[in-house]
Amino acid sequence: MRIAIIGAGMGGLTAALALQRLGFEPRVYEQADELIEVGAGLTLSPNATCVFRHLGLEERLREVSVEPSHSAVRHYQTGEWLVSRERGPSVEAEYGAPYLQCHRADLHDALLDSVETNDPDCVVLGRRFVSLEQDGGPANIHFADGSSTEVDVVIGADGVRSEVRGSLFTQEAPIFTGHVAWRGLVPVDGLPEEVTPDSGISIGPMRLFTRYYVRRRELINVVAFARMSGWEIESWSEHADMEELLTVFEGWNSEVRMLLEAMPPELCFKWALFVREPMENWTVGRATLLGDAAHPMLPFLGMGAATAIEDGLVIARCLKQPGDVEAALANYQAARLPRTNFIMQESTKRVAQLQGDKPETYDRAGERNEESLGLFEYDAGTVPLQAAAG
Ligand SMILES: Cc1cc2nc3c(=O)[nH]c(=O)nc-3n(C[C@H](O)[C@H](O)[C@H](O)COP(=O)(O)OP(=O)(O)OC[C@H]3O[C@@H](n4cnc5c(N)ncnc54)[C@H](O)[C@@H]3O)c2cc1C
């Protein structure tokens, strides 16, 4: 089976590795000429780390990740702890896989190494997908450099501005949420005080500050959110204005101020948060979508990367089942779409709790977070793959 994956991000590379493990030889077409270090931190909850266990990547992932012992919620002004939650070994004991936090580039490197060790020709760089055509048989995909290739399956894993999605469906304009975010990395060396616990957030009206250790605790990943209008650039590489960021978080607790003041400007980026409506269908003929291309979500449950990773293993399992490609893609969509649409909706709702007017009333009992919603319990390696109805 000739399988083309468009996009060598988290979802595309996980799908490639899972397919290789099941005996396929996929090709991943990536628009970038070079895969350089981009992005900052990602949270990998047990529903994501169990995928890497199935794929034999857990040890490598642990080497570059941090397993926080606790994660906590603080009041934005006083710094008082409102909720503290145990992480570390207790998560693994309960869900069967660890809760880890890592630099996006470290996970990306680990995935790329494994995929290329299995097949050095798997990832093809400098190939930007532009269109596809299919009429019942194999699909033809076309690239910006003028080349084309015929394949049996097309998996669009080309991220939040997916061109595969645009070629299969009428694209609706993304909707600006009124939220902007800054993300940056703070070197731990030289910080005046230790930051504890390993993973924490500070919550306040219309603002949210999150931070956790990555890269063997050498760096602290910081993401700060605020409701703002008048700035709508959805990019991973737009540099931030540090003075603006410090002004937005004026009056916040000393930990927040310390980290913002210590953040090197060249490591701080600003982006506007957009939503797309959940889709009811991702698949046309022999082409489907995966990860942010299928279900872009707000980051308030920390599930964007995790759901792309789950998709990668489930689609490989579906393609391995007996039957034709169309049936496999229908089964994949049936297995994944209800869960990812639910998580999209809950990610949008969660912000009201995190940025409420009275953070002092925030408590564990009322929390509607990724753990209390039961999202950690999902295992993409064993979840039943039933034939899609109809
Ligand atoms: C540069 C970058 C930095 C990021 N930084 C962070 C971060 O700091 N924190 C965080 O939580 N999330 C970050 N993300 C998002 C996060 O990686 C995704 O939300 C999540 O992992 C879902 O993965 P995905 O594979 O669906 O999409 P992505 O990881 O976005 O990968 C999509 C891939 O498709 C490629 N692509 C796009 N269009 C085409 C095309 N037409 N033809 C071929 N290839 C194409 C892209 O270059 C990219 O490699 C970042 C994404 C990117 C692309």
Side-chain angles (χ1 to χ4, degrees):
M1 197 187 289
R2 296 163 298 173
I3 305 172
I5 299 170
I6 311 298
M10 299 299 125
L13 289 179
T14 306
L17 184 58
L19 285 161
Q20 288 175 337
R21 299 257 168 206
L22 294 176
F24 296 99
E25 279 183 42
R27 284 283 168 276
V28 182
Y29 297 98
E30 164 60 43
Q31 64 178 358
D33 293 324
E34 200 187 347
L35 292 171
I36 48 170
E37 174 162 326
V38 277
L42 294 177
T43 291
L44 298 173
S45 41
N47 48 307
T49 55
C50 77
V51 172
F52 297 123
R53 181 169 290 178
H54 288 295
L55 298 180
L57 210 62
E58 187 184 346
E59 280 321 303
R60 168 85 189 263
L61 185 60
R62 277 185 188 272
E63 281 166 24
V64 293
S65 303
V66 173
E67 183 172 23
S69 65
H70 286 83
S71 68
V73 182
R74 300 180 91 153
H75 189 278
Y76 75 111
Q77 284 174 317
T78 63
E80 177 200 345
W81 297 118
L82 303 167
V83 171
S84 174
R85 207 171 265 285
E86 208 176 325
R87 297 294 188 208
S90 72
V91 173
E92 188 161 359
E94 189 165 353
Y95 300 104
Y99 180 99
L100 303 177
Q101 294 179 313
C102 69
H103 193 303
R104 181 182 185 274
D106 293 337
L107 173 59
H108 197 261
D109 277 357
L111 279 165
L112 189 63
D113 273 3
S114 300
V115 163
E116 292 194 324
T117 302
N118 293 335
D119 175 1
D121 300 325
C122 179
V123 179
V124 186
L125 297 176
R127 287 289 175 88
R128 185 166 78 80
F129 167 95
V130 286
S131 64
L132 73 84
E133 74 224 13
Q134 48 179 345
D135 58 3
N140 252 306
I141 48 179
H142 306 288
F143 299 98
D145 62 4
S147 61
S148 299
T149 189
E150 188 186 90
V151 294
D152 301 305
V153 187
V154 184
I155 302 174
D158 51 342
V160 67
R161 281 184 295 265
S162 170
E163 293 190 62
V164 179
R165 177 165 166 163
S167 72
L168 298 177
F169 303 98
T170 313
Q171 281 276 46
E172 285 167 24
I175 308 154
F176 177 55
T177 55
H179 294 271
V180 298
W182 293 261
R183 81 177 146 77
L185 292 164
V186 180
V188 170
D189 229 16
L191 270 182
E193 277 171 49
E194 200 192 342
V195 175
T196 56
D198 313 329
S199 177
I201 66 175
S202 289
I203 60 170
M206 317 255 283
R207 310 267 188 278
L208 167 67
F209 180 90
T210 68
R211 54 98 187 136
Y212 53 82
Y213 287 89
V214 294
R215 194 164 284 170
R216 304 179 193 89
R217 297 178 191 270
E218 292 160 20
L219 296 168
I220 297 178
N221 178 66
V222 166
V223 189
F225 299 91
R227 290 201 204 164
M228 284 173 85
S229 55
W231 191 88
E232 300 183 14
I233 302 177
E234 193 187 28
S235 157
W236 292 109
S237 53
E238 189 73 18
H239 278 280
D241 169 350
M242 301 305 289
E243 293 222 349
E244 179 197 33
L245 176 55
L246 284 163
T247 308
V248 171
F249 285 85
E250 205 162 335
W252 279 55
N253 63 57
S254 56
E255 179 193 279
V256 171
R257 301 291 303 174
M258 175 183 78
L259 289 172
L260 292 181
E261 279 161 17
M263 191 186 294
E266 67 277 13
L267 296 183
C268 187
F269 299 85
K270 180 180 178 186
W271 87 100
L273 303 188
F274 284 77
V275 280
R276 276 112 180 132
E277 288 300 324
M279 298 173 85
E280 290 311 318
N281 175 34
W282 303 336
T283 307
V284 176
R286 291 168 170 238
T288 193
L289 303 174
L290 174 157
D292 282 359
H295 43 73
M297 56 185 69
L298 289 177
F300 299 114
L301 288 175
M303 284 286 151
T307 48
I309 289 161
E310 292 172 356
D311 287 346
L313 180 51
V314 173
I315 197 165
R317 291 179 58 215
C318 289
L319 285 166
K320 186 69 183 173
Q321 287 188 313
D324 60 23
V325 169
E326 285 85 350
L329 298 187
N331 291 348
Y332 157 68
Q333 178 171 309
R336 296 294 301 150
L337 192 136
R339 173 170 169 87
T340 55
N341 279 359
F342 173 73
I343 300 175
M344 280 178 88
Q345 282 153 355
E346 290 294 331
S347 297
T348 303
K349 286 188 207 158
R350 171 86 169 129
V351 69
Q353 279 195 326
L354 294 173
Q355 296 185 355
D357 287 340
K358 293 198 174 109
E360 50 285 352
T361 62
Y362 185 96
D363 68 358
R364 195 178 183 126
E367 261 190 320
R368 209 170 151 76
N369 68 9
E370 55 280 22
E371 190 171 6
S372 68
L373 288 167
L375 304 182
F376 288 1
E377 283 147 37
Y378 186 89
D379 183 342
T382 57
V383 71
L385 307 176
Q386 283 149 0

